[in-house]
Amino acid sequence: MVVSNFPNILMDPELFPEPYGFKPERFIVDGKLSLPDTFFPFGISKHRCMGDVLAKCNMFMFITTMLQRFTFLPCPGEPLPSLDHVDGATASAAPFNTLVISRM
Ligand code: HEM
């Protein structure tokens, strides 16, 4: 079985300068969304993800709901979460603590 190394491609600083920076403007050209050919988090070609639309809808609903209802802050006295990831079938964030405050 061949498994592509998506995290290394998508975090390649030659393709995406400052890959760990939150820079939505990297995907905006002349005020419009513009995704380069090297951006393919859902794969390419025959085996491209079948669940991309469902995944994006779920992530939008989950993240917006969480941000509407809670404020997320660093834990006092603790360093910011590491940018390391845990390898797996899909990469995930390394475990970290956060202070969650209800906004309701
Ligand atoms: C953020 C969430 C997701 C990401 C980042 C993701 C990413 C990917 C990637 C990169 C591939 C291609 C793997 C390859 O090249 O061999 C893939 C394939 C696939 N994904 Fe997803 N996926 C996500 C969510 C989902 C969901 C929610 C479903 C189904 C409900 C799904 C179903 C599939 C299937 C069936 C394939 C295999 C397609 C094939 O081999 O023909 N994925 N996904």
Side-chain angles (χ1 to χ4, degrees), residues 1-4 6 10 40-56 58-59 89-91:
M1 185 167 83
V2 177
V3 180
S4 308
F6 286 98
L10 297 171
F40 43 85
F42 291 98
I44 43 177
S45 192
K46 272 189 188 173
H47 292 282
R48 195 181 187 287
C49 182
M50 294 180 186
D52 68 335
V53 175
L54 177 65
K56 283 190 269 191
N58 276 343
M59 284 190 292
T90 53

Side-chain angles (χ1 to χ4, degrees), residues 18-83:
E18 294 179 57
Y20 286 96
F22 178 66
K23 298 171 73 175
E25 66 274 17
R26 70 171 91 238
F27 300 122
I28 298 171
V29 176
D30 295 331
K32 292 191 178 143
L33 181 68
S34 174
L35 300 176
D37 292 342
T38 48
F39 181 77
F40 43 85
F42 291 98
I44 43 177
S45 192
K46 272 189 188 173
H47 292 282
R48 195 181 187 287
C49 182
M50 294 180 186
D52 68 335
V53 175
L54 177 65
K56 283 190 269 191
C57 287
N58 276 343
M59 284 190 292
F60 179 80
M61 291 305 295
F62 178 77
I63 292 168
T64 52
T65 302
M66 294 297 276
L67 292 178
Q68 276 171 354
R69 296 181 184 201
F70 301 101
T71 298
F72 294 86
L73 295 169
C75 280
E78 290 190 24
L80 290 175
S82 151
L83 293 175

